[in-house]
Amino acid sequence: MSTSTVAQEFAKSGITPEDFVKFVDGLIRDASSVLSNDLLFVTSEKVPSIDLSQLTDDRGNMESSFSFLSVPTNNLSPPTRVTNIMTNYHHKFSVSGANSGTPDKRKYHQSIEKFLALMLLIVLFVGGQPDQGPEILARDPSSEVPAELIYLKHVNRLDSDGVLQTRSIFVIHGKICVVTVDHSSRYGIRARFLPQDVSEMIVVYLACVLPFLRGLDPDDEYGQSDHIFTRPLGFWHTATYQAILRRETKVRLGKEMDLAEANRLIVNVSAFIPKKDA
């Protein structure tokens, strides 16, 4: 695609390339802050690092309950990870003089929702691939095609009919790869390779935050769900997705953007947006 075509697309969108880069950087920065301060209770905004280059993943493993988190050599499920979060919580709130018993689960859930809302848009905008489910649904209401990203699963699982529902999250060459069905193609898939900092946040969330929730409450709907973007009754709805996108683009870009507009921008300009660790 020519530079002039990209410039035309930005002109039509009403934002500049610099605005777009600042928008994505702001989403990543704020997600990192929520994860560090409100979910891990660390005093700095730096997310505790996990060396993703050392992680392995059996991408062909079709066993129920399998994910890269369950690979023993990855060492992503030691009890100390959960203990450390509780220790951080007690330290943070004992210093401030606040009650340091156990986290308020309702407030913790609110922080999770905030983090996931930011992460949903980050995956959309840095993944370099559109999410066309809602557009297909708008053209053909009988298609029952959901948005791709709201259905992300981090573990294989048999459904109630005994059919294996495979995961969407993989580790490839030290990066998280998000794989979804391309509903615009009969047999296609989309692969989104995420930058290092975004990949690390997703792994820390899955390996630390979710086990911590299960420690607080074994029946917690977030901790038990196979979906990343979860609700008590299942995964998020497309309407929720669209509302988050409109809200965050209006606040951060000064222009409310729907998913169709976001898709056009992603398809036309993503290759020209510099990647931090490219």
Side-chain angles (χ1 to χ4, degrees):
M1 181 178 296
S2 68
T3 303
S4 61
T5 303
V6 175
Q8 291 172 5
E9 190 60 38
F10 270 118
K12 285 192 294 184
S13 71
I15 63 174
T16 67
E18 293 77 15
D19 290 336
F20 185 73
V21 172
K22 289 179 181 177
F23 167 67
V24 173
D25 282 347
L27 291 172
I28 294 173
R29 182 180 60 251
D30 290 350
S32 178
S33 177
V34 174
L35 180 59
S36 297
N37 296 328
D38 302 328
L39 297 178
L40 301 176
F41 306 115
V42 294
T43 53
S44 71
E45 292 187 4
K46 182 174 177 57
V47 175
S49 62
I50 292 177
D51 187 356
L52 271 61
S53 68
Q54 300 301 309
L55 300 185
T56 60
D57 192 354
D58 183 358
R59 297 188 291 277
N61 191 318
M62 294 291 110
E63 293 181 6
S64 182
S65 304
F66 180 81
S67 82
F68 70 88
L69 297 165
S70 58
V71 176
T73 55
N74 287 340
N75 197 32
L76 288 176
S77 57
T80 52
R81 294 190 186 278
V82 174
T83 304
N84 287 344
I85 297 178
M86 185 60 79
T87 300
N88 293 341
Y89 175 81
H90 283 296
H91 176 72
K92 181 174 181 177
F93 289 99
S94 63
V95 169
S96 67
N99 181 359
S100 60
T102 57
D104 181 320
K105 198 171 81 163
R106 181 182 59 84
K107 291 182 179 179
Y108 200 77
H109 281 178
Q110 290 173 349
S111 296
I112 285 177
E113 294 255 339
K114 185 176 181 181
F115 171 74
L116 292 179
L118 295 168
M119 188 54 65
L120 178 61
L121 299 190
I122 292 168
V123 174
L124 173 65
F125 283 105
V126 307
Q129 296 282 344
D131 186 342
Q132 295 180 316
E135 294 182 60
I136 295 171
L137 184 61
R139 293 195 299 267
D140 180 11
S142 66
S143 66
E144 298 183 353
V145 173
E148 296 170 24
L149 294 181
I150 57 173
Y151 195 64
L152 297 187
K153 294 171 67 70
H154 57 85
V155 61
N156 295 338
R157 191 77 68 189
L158 292 174
D159 65 16
S160 58
D161 295 321
V163 177
L164 182 68
Q165 302 295 320
T166 56
R167 60 193 169 112
S168 322
I169 308 295
F170 301 84
V171 175
I172 301 177
H173 301 308
K175 304 284 177 62
I176 287 293
C177 179
V178 175
V179 178
T180 60
V181 175
D182 178 1
H183 293 293
S184 65
S185 171
R186 185 175 180 183
Y187 301 108
I189 63 169
R190 300 189 198 277
R192 299 169 172 89
F193 286 87
L194 304 182
Q196 189 72 30
D197 49 359
V198 177
S199 294
E200 287 183 0
M201 282 194 283
I202 290 176
V203 174
V204 168
Y205 176 75
L206 295 176
C208 300
V209 173
L210 295 188
F212 176 67
L213 270 175
R214 291 192 290 268
L216 291 178
D217 179 0
D219 297 321
D220 184 89
E221 57 266 24
Y222 290 89
Q224 291 298 326
S225 178
D226 299 334
H227 297 93
I228 290 184
F229 304 108
T230 190
R231 283 285 194 275
L233 297 180
F235 53 88
W236 286 10
H237 296 293
T238 299
T240 305
Y241 187 1
Q242 295 269 33
I244 292 169
L245 177 61
R246 291 191 181 98
R247 181 189 71 218
E248 294 297 328
T249 51
K250 183 175 183 179
V251 170
R252 296 169 184 270
L253 287 171
K255 170 185 168 56
E256 190 174 287
M257 190 180 296
D258 63 20
L259 196 50
E261 293 173 295
N263 282 338
R264 287 195 298 272
L265 195 61
I266 291 164
V267 168
N268 289 317
V269 308
S270 62
F272 291 81
I273 300 302
K275 302 286 191 299
K276 291 181 180 180
D277 51 359

